[in-house]
């Protein structure tokens, strides 16, 4: 049974340039489907109409990703309300969900994808962004929201070969292949592959990305479907930590200078990811799902960056480190979804469980400069792993050698394995056991009640291999995370909802490495979310959604007046979101988003990277059957680089983007996407005071998209 999907936070309504999966017809299409995801791996894990979900969420499909020329998670975030990007130290996706900075709230088909890297989009069916705490379905973390990538699956009795070849004006290019073949009436094989050569506007930037993802589907019976998948990931890229600040803002004169080492600012990632999913229909009212996930990751990132800047002398202090991570994640999860009635009351019950085992080894080494500025000066404040250089383009520092600001030759010893350069070395063994239950209760035709809770047992052991420490610490947390929601539908096309949810984050952090000091004695940070919203389908082609929310964080810390006691440290983020999406006419499509955020910590200081206002709009128009164009803009208000009273500020900015396409034939389209049409200098995010990202100037991407 098919339904037009027109009500959601960011509905799955394609731009006029969207392609069908088999590329047989490239005219404007209307996506059909009623639920959050078009396949069984979805974020809410139950067959719930999106208008009945008491939560803010957004979706961007593969077709829209292609039509918009999007190549990164960050570009999706630019046009999503309530979230914005962080720099991620130049080596990873990093999202600020409603004021909460996250490195680990990423999921692949509902499985935790917590290693720090840039995620490719070549093999995704859609990207789903849920906002607010999501511990009931996802466990720890998810404090401000989560991002889930839904992967492409093989299709039985179908055959196609799709391709996408693109290049941009920086010199980067991308090749993607998506091919599917039926291997029988009840089985199929699909292969997605990509190669990307990276380049951008910054000096020394380079990189290559490979991805290979075969998937197979077996329909063992009318009631049982098995999907298996393997993905090989090989990424390498230059790490750019941006430019320093002075007088409370980024130094615009340094927009073309890279404050790093051309040869030793890099990130490499090699990964093997295996997934298997079994879906079984026990009856018309009971379905089950079992999922197995294994990921083996080997990552290195090495970098120098600006740690300080003296505006009077125009001298910059460089710091650096090399960091390695070897991680294995094994995740087993299952759930049952049952639909039944008790009298006149309907129920959709989800009961699920999850077992996670993670082994993660990580270490970090700092450099040593052999002839530092002021090395013999007793008042010298620089550490052995820092050195000062005159600002120039390029810096007089290359290949771990150079000339410092005093004119002396200097060499940095990097990652030589000696104790003097060791920053940390930890080995982690983590076991998590979880189960959850949720009941979506249809009290009447107009009222739905959602009640649920999740239990998590989080047991971590951290061995500190630093020769000066050599200790093992452990901690076990057991937490219950509740969720409640009420949905009122005065009519079928309008829902008004209120929700409450909680989440938690153990003191070992998102990357598990540290329970040193008093951290292993502290309870997890806890997060609560209260939200009220409305979803309104004006008609079959236009929808409006709005939400008002408040997120609160509570954290324990040592009492400065009594070392034996602890005090609560709180922070609070509140705001609202507005979204409008759909077709104004048969050929004119628009999506518009606005969010307002206000947050501060317990001391009343504004939180970092929390712009008060963000807005975006994108519109496309189909001129005729073969030609169409689009234009959009994204605005971000000013925000603070750090959570301190004296923090520098990222200036507000507006970036304008555009697109156009021309249909060459029934199976081929030429597409042009232009980013930063007005060539605005802007600074979208930062990692710390002297590491501010420089936004890309005007650039264009030309793509040839088609099928055989």
């Amino acid at each position: 049974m098919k339904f037009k999907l027109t009500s959601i936070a960011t509905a799955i309504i394609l731009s006029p340039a969207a392609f069908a999966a088999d590329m047989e017809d490239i005219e404007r299409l209307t996506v059909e489907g009623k639920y959050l995801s078009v396949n069984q791996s979805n974020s809410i894990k139950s067959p719930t109409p999106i208008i009945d979900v008491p939560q803010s969420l957004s979706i961007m499909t593969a077709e829209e990703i292609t039509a918009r020329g999007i190549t990164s998670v960050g570009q999706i975030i630019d046009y999503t309300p309530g979230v914005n990007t962080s720099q991620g130290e130049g080596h990873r996706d990093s999202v600020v969900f409603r004021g909460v900075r996250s490195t680990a709230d990423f999921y692949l088909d509902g499985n935790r994808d917590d290693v720090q890297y840039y995620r490719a989009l070549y093999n995704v069916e859609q990207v789903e962004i849920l906002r607010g705490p999501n511990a009931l379905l996802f466990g720890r973390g998810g404090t401000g929201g989560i991002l889930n990538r839904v992967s492409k699956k093989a299709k039985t009795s179908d055959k196609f070969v799709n391709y996408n070849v693109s290049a941009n004006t920086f010199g980067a290019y991308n090749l993607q292949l998506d091919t599917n073949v039926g291997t029988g009436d009840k089985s199929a094989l699909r292969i997605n592959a990509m190669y990307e050569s990276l380049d951008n506007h910054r000096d020394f930037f380079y990189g290559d990305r490979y991805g290979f993802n075969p998937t197979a589907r077996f329909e063992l019976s009318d009631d049982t479907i098995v999907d298996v998948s393997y993905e090989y990931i090989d990424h390498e890229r230059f790490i750019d930590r941006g430019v320093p600040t002075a007088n409370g803002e980024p130094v615009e004169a340094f927009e073309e200078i890279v404050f790093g080492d051309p040869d030793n600012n890099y990130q490499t990632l090699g990964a093997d990811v295996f997934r298997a999913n079994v879906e079984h229909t026990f009856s018309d009212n009971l379905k089950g799902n079992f999922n197995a996930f294994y990921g083996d990751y080997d990552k290195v990132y090495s970098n120098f960056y600006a740690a300080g800047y003296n505006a009077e002398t125009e001298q910059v202090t460089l710091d650096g480190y090399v960091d390695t991570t070897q991680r294995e994640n094994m995740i087993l999860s299952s759930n049952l979804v049952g639909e039944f009635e008790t009298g006149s009351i309907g129920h959709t019950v989800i009961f699920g469980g999850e077992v996670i085992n993670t082994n993660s080894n990580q270490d970090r080494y700092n450099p040593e400069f052999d002839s530092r500025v002021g090395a013999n000066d007793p008042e010298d404040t620089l550490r052995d792993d820092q050195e000062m250089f005159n600002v120039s383009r390029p810096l007089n520092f290359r290949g771990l050698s150079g000339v410092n600001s005093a004119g002396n030759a200097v060499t940095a010893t990097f990652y030589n394995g000696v104790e003097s350069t060791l920053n940390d070395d930890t080995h982690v063994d983590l076991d998590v056991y979880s189960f959850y239950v949720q009941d979506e209760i249809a009290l009447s035709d107009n009222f739905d009640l959602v009640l649920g809770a999740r239990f998590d047992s989080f047991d971590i052991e951290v061995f500190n291999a630093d020769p000066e420490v050599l200790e093992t610490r452990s901690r076990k947390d057991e937490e219950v995370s509740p969720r409640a929601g009420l949905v009122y539908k005065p009519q079928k096309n309008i829902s008004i909802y209120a929700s409450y949810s909680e989440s938690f984050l153990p003191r070992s952090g998102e990357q598990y490495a540290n329970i040193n000091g008093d951290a292993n004695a502290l309870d997890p940070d806890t997060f609560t979310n209260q939200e009220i919203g409305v979803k309104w389908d004006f008609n079959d082609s236009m929808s409006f959604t709005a939400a008002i929310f408040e997120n609160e964080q509570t954290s324990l810390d040592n009492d400065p007046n009594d070392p034996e006691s602890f005090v609560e440290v709180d922070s609070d983020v509140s705001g609202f979101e507005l979204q409008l999406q759909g077709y104004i006419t048969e050929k004119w499509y628009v999506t518009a988003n606005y969010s307002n955020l206000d947050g501060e910590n317990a001391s009343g200081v504004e939180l970092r990277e929390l712009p008060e206002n963000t807005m975006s709009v994108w519109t496309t128009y189909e001129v005729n059957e073969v030609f169409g164009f689009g234009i959009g803009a994204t605005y971000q208000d000013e925000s603070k680089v750090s959570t301190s009273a004296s923090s520098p500020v990222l200036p507000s900015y507006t970036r304008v983007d555009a697109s156009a396409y021309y249909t060459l034939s029934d199976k081929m389209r030429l597409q042009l996407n232009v980013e930063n049409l007005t060539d605005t200098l802007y600074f979208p995010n930062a990692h710390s005071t002297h590491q501010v990202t420089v936004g890309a100037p005007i650039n264009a991407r030309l793509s040839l998209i088609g099928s055989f």
Side-chain angles (χ1 to χ4, degrees):
M1 190 173 184
K2 298 182 178 180
F3 303 83
K4 288 186 178 179
L5 186 153
T6 56
S7 71
I8 52 177
T10 302
I12 316 175
I13 302 174
L14 303 186
S15 68
F19 266 42
D22 59 7
M23 295 294 294
E24 291 181 354
D25 182 359
I26 59 176
E27 295 180 0
R28 181 174 66 83
L29 302 174
T30 299
V31 174
E32 307 210 78
K34 183 180 178 182
Y35 305 120
L36 177 60
S37 177
V38 294
N39 61 36
Q40 297 303 310
S41 296
N42 62 63
S43 297
I44 58 173
K45 303 189 180 185
S46 69
T48 304
I50 293 166
I51 198 169
D52 295 338
V53 177
Q55 184 173 9
S56 297
L57 55 95
S58 299
I59 295 173
M60 186 172 286
T61 65
E63 290 83 359
E64 190 169 2
I65 288 170
T66 299
R68 301 267 288 268
I70 288 173
T71 60
S72 69
V73 167
Q75 290 173 306
I76 296 175
I77 297 301
D78 286 343
Y79 282 88
T80 303
V83 294
N84 51 286
T85 61
S86 187
Q87 185 191 95
E89 299 172 274
H91 69 91
R92 55 183 164 87
D93 292 321
S94 185
V95 182
V96 185
F97 295 95
R98 287 183 172 175
V100 180
R101 302 172 73 248
S102 174
T103 68
D105 292 318
F106 298 93
Y107 293 81
L108 177 60
D109 291 335
N111 296 291
R112 187 174 293 271
D113 179 31
D114 56 18
V115 175
Q116 299 177 326
Y117 68 106
Y118 285 107
R119 290 152 180 83
L121 302 174
Y122 74 102
N123 60 344
V124 301
E125 193 70 49
Q126 61 191 43
V127 175
E128 307 167 346
I129 301 174
L130 275 66
R131 295 181 288 284
N134 288 277
L136 187 140
L137 297 179
F138 294 95
R140 67 191 185 277
T143 52
I146 65 98
L147 186 149
N148 182 48
R149 291 176 296 147
V150 179
S151 66
K152 294 178 179 178
K153 307 294 192 299
K155 299 182 178 182
T156 57
S157 304
D158 201 355
K159 183 178 181 180
F160 56 81
V161 179
N162 297 336
Y163 62 86
N164 185 333
V165 180
S166 66
N168 70 16
T169 49
F170 294 131
Y173 59 91
N174 182 289
L175 311 172
Q176 294 183 24
L177 182 69
D178 179 7
T179 180
N180 186 92
V181 59
T183 56
D185 292 339
K186 300 293 184 178
S187 62
L189 174 67
R190 186 171 186 173
I191 297 175
N192 280 272
M194 63 87 73
Y195 170 74
E196 184 175 12
S197 176
L198 302 173
D199 204 350
N200 71 7
H201 58 295
R202 302 282 284 162
D203 288 344
F204 317 129
F205 192 86
Y206 67 89
D208 296 280
R209 302 206 298 178
Y210 303 85
F212 178 66
N213 183 201
T215 67
R217 167 164 288 192
F218 305 95
E219 297 179 356
L220 303 184
S221 69
D222 292 341
D223 297 323
T224 305
I225 298 175
V226 177
D227 289 297
V228 293
S229 170
Y230 164 71
E231 183 177 12
Y232 171 73
I233 302 170
D234 187 338
H235 293 179
E236 180 178 8
R237 73 164 57 216
F238 183 79
I239 290 180
D240 182 2
R241 299 281 289 267
V243 301
T245 64
N247 301 316
E249 60 184 22
V251 183
E252 294 187 1
F254 295 166
E255 62 171 298
E256 296 183 332
I257 300 177
V258 173
F259 292 86
D261 184 341
D263 300 319
N264 290 279
N265 276 47
Y266 64 86
Q267 178 241 344
T268 63
L269 171 73
D272 298 281
V273 180
F274 300 86
R275 303 191 302 277
N277 187 80
V278 179
E279 178 191 339
H280 181 73
T281 301
F282 296 95
S283 68
D284 290 342
N285 299 320
L286 181 63
K287 295 182 179 180
N289 184 286
F290 175 81
N291 185 273
F293 176 98
Y294 173 77
D296 186 0
Y297 308 86
D298 188 355
K299 179 186 173 183
V300 176
Y301 71 99
S302 169
N303 65 130
F304 287 89
Y305 57 90
Y309 172 63
N310 187 323
E312 293 182 2
T313 62
E314 289 200 352
Q315 293 175 339
V316 63
T317 300
L318 291 192
D319 201 344
Y321 54 82
V322 59
D323 186 295
T324 73
T325 299
Q326 299 84 41
R327 183 172 300 170
E328 292 183 70
N329 285 340
M330 171 65 78
I331 304 173
L332 302 176
S333 61
S334 63
N335 64 69
L336 292 173
V337 180
E339 297 179 286
F340 60 92
E341 294 182 353
T342 55
S344 61
I345 298 176
H347 299 266
T348 300
V349 176
I350 314 170
F351 179 79
E354 186 175 55
V355 177
I356 300 176
N357 176 254
T358 295
N359 291 289
S360 186
N361 299 333
Q362 44 273 317
D363 58 48
R364 177 171 293 188
Y365 284 83
N366 299 326
E368 282 190 343
F369 290 93
D370 63 348
S371 178
R372 297 186 301 102
V373 173
N376 299 318
D377 184 348
E379 296 183 0
D380 175 31
T381 59
L382 296 184
R383 303 194 309 260
D384 289 343
D385 60 348
Q386 296 180 334
E387 180 56 299
M388 190 174 291
F389 295 87
N390 294 320
V391 175
S392 61
R393 184 189 183 205
L395 291 179
N396 201 347
F397 176 61
R398 187 181 181 97
L400 302 183
S401 64
V403 177
N404 62 24
S405 60
N408 301 322
V410 60
T411 300
T413 303
F414 211 7
Y415 193 36
N416 60 6
V418 301
E419 294 179 19
S420 61
T421 64
L422 177 65
N423 188 81
D424 60 67
D425 184 0
T426 55
H427 302 184
V428 175
D429 187 12
L430 172 67
D431 290 298
V432 180
Y433 302 92
S434 311
F435 65 86
Y436 58 89
V437 61
Q438 177 180 279
D439 190 2
E440 300 170 15
I441 308 168
L443 299 174
S444 68
D445 291 339
N446 303 104
F447 282 98
D448 291 342
L449 178 65
V450 179
L451 295 174
R454 179 186 181 110
F455 170 81
D456 283 279
S457 172
F458 183 93
D459 192 352
I460 187 170
E461 182 178 274
V462 180
F463 171 59
N464 191 334
D466 185 336
E468 296 183 1
V469 181
L470 290 178
E471 69 171 3
T472 299
R473 287 174 173 258
S474 62
R475 178 176 174 88
K476 185 174 183 179
D477 292 303
E478 295 183 340
E479 296 287 333
V480 175
S481 303
R483 180 191 188 191
L486 180 65
V487 180
Y488 170 61
K489 299 182 70 174
Q491 53 192 57
K492 290 183 177 180
N493 65 326
I494 299 176
S495 69
I496 302 169
Y497 69 87
S499 69
Y500 174 86
S501 57
E502 294 183 4
S503 185
F504 73 98
L505 182 65
R507 284 310 180 96
S508 51
E510 294 175 323
Q511 299 301 321
Y512 319 127
N514 183 11
I515 51 175
N516 295 329
D518 293 317
N520 68 331
L522 298 176
D523 290 337
D525 295 345
T526 58
F527 301 81
T528 63
N529 176 72
Q530 302 170 74
E531 182 171 324
I532 299 173
V534 59
K535 301 177 182 181
W536 183 5
D537 293 347
F538 295 122
N539 49 47
D540 288 342
S541 59
M542 180 67 72
S543 66
F544 170 77
T545 64
I548 303 172
F549 57 86
E550 181 177 29
N551 291 345
E552 297 179 335
Q553 175 184 357
T554 300
S555 177
L556 285 180
D557 206 348
N558 292 103
D559 187 340
N561 301 316
D562 183 1
E564 302 298 323
S565 302
F566 302 101
V567 295
E568 286 190 356
V569 180
D570 299 331
S571 63
D572 180 273
V573 178
S574 59
F576 63 92
E577 303 168 2
L578 305 174
Q579 302 176 85
L580 178 70
Q581 184 157 5
Y583 281 93
I584 297 176
T585 69
E586 189 175 281
K587 297 184 177 183
W588 184 10
Y589 166 83
V590 65
T591 175
N593 304 301
Y594 171 77
S595 65
N596 179 280
L597 298 171
D598 179 33
E600 60 183 31
N601 63 15
S603 301
V605 178
E606 180 183 340
L607 299 179
R608 62 179 296 189
E609 292 188 303
L610 187 68
E612 180 179 358
N613 300 287
T614 58
M615 291 181 283
S616 65
V617 61
W618 181 262
T619 184
T620 57
Y621 187 76
E622 180 184 345
V623 178
N624 53 42
E625 293 182 356
V626 298
F627 176 71
F629 65 90
I631 190 166
T634 177
Y635 168 82
Q636 181 172 294
D637 215 343
E638 69 175 31
S639 62
K640 299 178 67 172
V641 172
S642 66
T643 302
S644 69
S646 59
S647 169
V649 171
L650 297 174
S652 62
Y653 70 88
T654 300
R655 193 189 76 215
V656 178
D657 305 322
S659 71
Y661 72 92
Y662 184 80
T663 302
L664 301 173
S665 71
D666 289 344
K667 295 183 179 292
M668 185 180 297
R669 180 178 82 228
L670 191 65
Q671 180 176 301
L672 177 67
N673 295 91
V674 181
E675 182 183 79
N676 198 0
L677 189 64
T678 57
D679 200 22
T680 298
L681 174 61
Y682 68 103
F683 303 92
N685 49 46
H687 181 69
S688 64
T689 298
H690 299 298
Q691 298 150 49
V692 178
T693 303
V694 181
I698 183 172
N699 64 95
R701 176 177 293 272
L702 186 65
S703 304
L704 184 65
I705 305 167
S707 67
F708 297 112

